Amino acid sequence: LVAAQQKNLEAADEYWADGMQVPMASGTATAILAANRAVLAVARKDPKAAREFYNIAMASKTPPYLDYFDLHLEMINAIILWSEGKHQEAEKNFLYRESVLVGDTAPNYRARLLQHMNRNEEAQAVAKRAAYLKTIHNQHPDLVGSVFWVDPVNGGLTPR
């Protein structure tokens, strides 16, 4: 995460790639690394690689893991869907995450997506909700998506 915070996405990806090679690591450790790499791939405007890393994360996770992990992976899926240009699917996924997660991540991304789709009034209403929910801390520091916002259209990471 330090390399990503320093805006060195290549180094961050290399560290996580190295971590995925650790023999006998748990499946969930590999899944966390793959999920982080999926977010970085979106930041690099590479939705194909993002989808591949997401699929690795889904295939690698093994119990026991924290309850939020599946929901976090599905949030990453929604971001990847957006980066793939599948706006309606992404919106549906963000909306569902809003119904099951308390926090600002899903509504924040959905507001940005709605704005991208020129549904500005809806976007403003959802953004207001996200601003309120930001006061409720629901972050998981082992996952890059909890520390940064990723831009599914233009690429790049922005600290939260």
Side-chain angles (χ1 to χ4, degrees):
L1 287 177
V2 172
Q5 288 173 326
Q6 294 172 342
K7 299 187 186 279
N8 190 344
L9 302 186
E10 288 180 26
D13 192 52
E14 287 176 20
Y15 291 132
W16 287 324
D18 289 346
M20 289 177 70
Q21 304 305 315
V22 172
M24 299 179 60
S26 76
T28 298
T30 299
I32 289 170
L33 295 169
N36 285 342
R37 294 184 77 193
V39 172
L40 286 186
V42 172
R44 289 191 317 267
K45 297 175 67 172
D46 188 353
K48 182 179 178 196
R51 177 61 59 203
E52 290 171 5
F53 287 125
Y54 170 79
N55 290 339
I56 291 169
M58 291 300 289
S60 299
K61 65 183 177 138
T62 55
Y65 54 84
L66 299 174
D67 293 340
Y68 71 83
F69 190 57
D70 283 329
L71 295 171
H72 186 78
L73 288 176
E74 289 306 316
M75 182 73 68
I76 291 172
N77 182 49
I79 293 166
I80 295 169
L81 287 167
W82 181 3
S83 75
E84 293 170 330
K86 300 174 182 173
H87 299 148
Q88 284 74 26
E89 277 186 78
E91 181 184 5
K92 180 180 174 184
N93 277 272
F94 289 136
L95 191 57
Y96 175 70
R97 298 303 152 253
E98 285 179 54
S99 73
V100 295
L101 283 175
V102 175
D104 69 314
T105 304
N108 200 307
Y109 275 115
R110 189 164 69 93
R112 293 174 186 201
L113 175 61
L114 291 169
Q115 185 175 24
H116 176 76
M117 296 166 60
N118 294 317
R119 292 166 50 191
N120 296 321
E121 286 184 36
E122 280 180 89
Q124 288 176 353
V126 174
K128 284 182 183 178
R129 183 172 183 269
Y132 167 73
L133 290 172
K134 185 176 180 163
T135 63
I136 301 169
H137 296 287
N138 189 25
Q139 293 190 351
H140 311 288
D142 53 338
L143 297 163
V144 72
S146 297
V147 180
F148 297 99
W149 295 112
V150 61
D151 187 331
V153 177
N154 301 309
L157 296 176
T158 305
R160 289 176 70 120

